[in-house]
Amino acid sequence: MLGRIIGLISCLMCAFPFWVIGIFNKDSKEPITFWSGDTTLKSRVKNVAAYNEKMATLYKKCGIAFVISGIGWFISPVAGVVMICFDCTLGIWLVYKKYRRILDSYS
């Protein structure tokens, strides 16, 4: 049971930064970055408010994915491992593709 609780807490700790970015940077005057330290977005993004709204939604969905993985981990550690592996491989690729679509539409 302790392993299940640790898995749940770990997933919640992973979800927390995504939610913080999604909630607090939504109304920022600077574009929300996908890559840490990316300074090229200031010149590329034309409609920062709409871009940040879409990116905030994307980050919140990432947080939800980690919460679901944590719940899966709490129910069944095997299911949690599978979900985390999905989140950290194919999930990141899908999020990157969505980020590129958002960036292309607001550039």
Side-chain angles (χ1 to χ4, degrees), residues 67-102:
V67 169
I68 291 170
S69 296
I71 293 169
W73 195 296
F74 189 74
I75 293 170
S76 168
V78 173
V81 168
V82 170
M83 290 176 170
I84 286 291
C85 288
F86 176 79
D87 288 347
C88 295
T89 54
L90 185 60
I92 290 174
W93 182 77
L94 293 172
V95 168
Y96 176 73
K97 297 298 279 183
K98 180 68 174 177
Y99 160 72
R100 294 298 305 173
R101 276 189 251 133
I102 293 170

Side-chain angles (χ1 to χ4, degrees), residues 11-65:
C11 290
L12 293 178
M13 289 172 55
C14 289
F16 182 73
F18 288 111
W19 282 345
V20 167
I21 291 170
I23 292 169
F24 293 111
N25 286 350
K26 179 182 175 189
D27 299 322
S28 175
K29 294 182 182 182
E30 300 286 325
I32 298 174
T33 61
F34 183 77
W35 302 109
S36 178
D38 186 4
T39 58
T40 63
L41 290 178
K42 292 178 187 177
S43 61
R44 294 175 67 189
V45 176
K46 305 299 182 213
N47 186 352
V48 175
Y51 169 83
N52 279 352
E53 185 176 330
K54 294 287 187 180
M55 286 299 293
T57 302
L58 181 64
Y59 273 100
K60 289 175 192 173
K61 287 179 182 179
C62 289
I64 289 170

